[in-house]
Amino acid sequence: ELGKGAFPLIIEAGRLYTKDEEITIVELKKKFGKSTYVIQERLTNHPAIREVYPHSLNTIRLNTVMNVDGNVEYYGAELRFGTGGNFVDNAGQGGFFVGINEDGTLKNIGYYDPGKRQVSIVREKHPDTEVTFAGLKIPYWQEIKQQSILFHKYLYGLPSLGWDIAVTEEGFYFTEAGEDWEIQLDQCAYGGRRKDFYRTHGYALEKKIRRY
């Protein structure tokens, strides 16, 4: 969660490396500890996204909602960027996010994790690379939305889901999905969501689908 515990692992000629440091299999096991880890092949962003920030996999957080009729709706999305040389894009690790317009272009204002910085706004350009993100068109945008809606229909017990999606030169990949999708990202990117939140979530809020 929040990118904590994530690290790159490289295997070359039977030797293990994390970042640029070689480690033994014993050290790797200690790093894992008693936790359950997922090892995934590393993906590389589409060149248009990688140009803005090349060090992390900059992923889309796209939200879908299942309404009272059982229909799934698209409910906003943001593209996240890492900063400061970090290889994760999470806002909790210093990254920021930019809202995505209906046509798949990026808005011109980005935000750091709300309440964590004195200055939380990023205007038009990435602070490290100074490459403009405003107006950048997300490749495969309509297909990404359609696939997210389709996948949610299979997970009909969950009223809303946040999908993490990587866009590469070869296509797009779903890397993660969760029901705790951080509505504060949407609130920042779209200027408040109270009215349409209750329009889309009202029925689900009355149902105890999940017990905490």
Side-chain angles (χ1 to χ4, degrees):
E1 188 172 359
L2 302 176
K4 296 177 181 178
F7 62 91
L9 177 66
I10 299 172
I11 304 174
E12 290 183 349
R15 303 172 81 169
L16 305 174
Y17 301 87
T18 59
K19 295 185 178 180
D20 296 326
E21 299 179 1
E22 184 176 0
I23 63 170
T24 66
I25 189 66
V26 173
E27 291 171 326
L28 179 62
K29 288 180 178 178
K30 287 182 179 179
K31 197 173 183 68
F32 287 157
K34 295 182 179 180
S35 301
T36 300
Y37 268 79
V38 176
I39 299 176
Q40 298 172 296
E41 182 179 354
R42 188 166 186 171
L43 299 173
T44 301
N45 276 129
H46 188 282
I49 297 173
R50 189 169 67 244
E51 183 182 7
V52 180
Y53 184 74
H55 304 298
S56 68
L57 183 65
N58 306 306
T59 57
I60 296 169
R61 168 63 58 83
L62 187 151
N63 308 311
T64 53
V65 177
M66 183 171 288
N67 62 28
V68 64
D69 299 319
N71 297 316
V72 177
E73 298 181 28
Y74 164 75
Y75 192 71
E78 300 80 35
L79 179 59
R80 304 180 296 184
F81 292 104
T83 62
N86 285 343
F87 62 89
V88 293
D89 62 0
N90 304 74
Q93 299 293 321
F96 68 94
F97 56 91
V98 183
I100 303 175
N101 296 309
E102 284 286 341
D103 64 356
T105 58
L106 293 189
K107 295 178 178 291
N108 63 354
I109 298 293
Y111 301 88
Y112 291 105
D113 200 358
K116 299 292 179 66
R117 290 170 176 252
Q118 188 172 4
V119 178
S120 61
I121 292 177
V122 182
R123 298 186 185 277
E124 297 186 348
K125 298 180 180 180
H126 194 286
D128 296 349
T129 64
E130 297 188 348
V131 175
T132 300
F133 58 73
L136 186 154
K137 176 77 173 183
I138 304 293
Y140 316 110
W141 176 240
Q142 294 303 324
E143 294 92 334
I144 288 170
K145 288 201 297 183
Q146 292 168 6
Q147 195 67 50
S148 302
I149 290 171
L150 176 62
F151 281 166
H152 192 161
K153 290 179 180 179
Y154 289 101
L155 301 172
Y156 47 80
L158 296 169
S160 63
L161 282 164
W163 306 91
D164 288 355
I165 304 162
V167 182
T168 76
E169 199 164 7
E170 295 77 29
F172 56 93
Y173 297 84
F174 287 74
T175 62
E176 185 179 348
E179 85 284 12
D180 184 7
W181 43 265
E182 300 177 291
I183 193 171
Q184 67 269 27
L185 276 65
D186 264 25
Q187 289 173 317
C188 289
Y190 295 96
R193 306 226 62 175
R194 180 181 177 87
K195 186 176 181 179
D196 63 4
F197 180 85
Y198 280 95
R199 176 185 65 81
T200 54
H201 291 69
Y203 176 77
L205 291 172
E206 296 175 1
K207 302 294 182 182
K208 293 185 178 179
I209 294 177
R210 172 176 174 178
R211 295 182 181 274
Y212 289 89

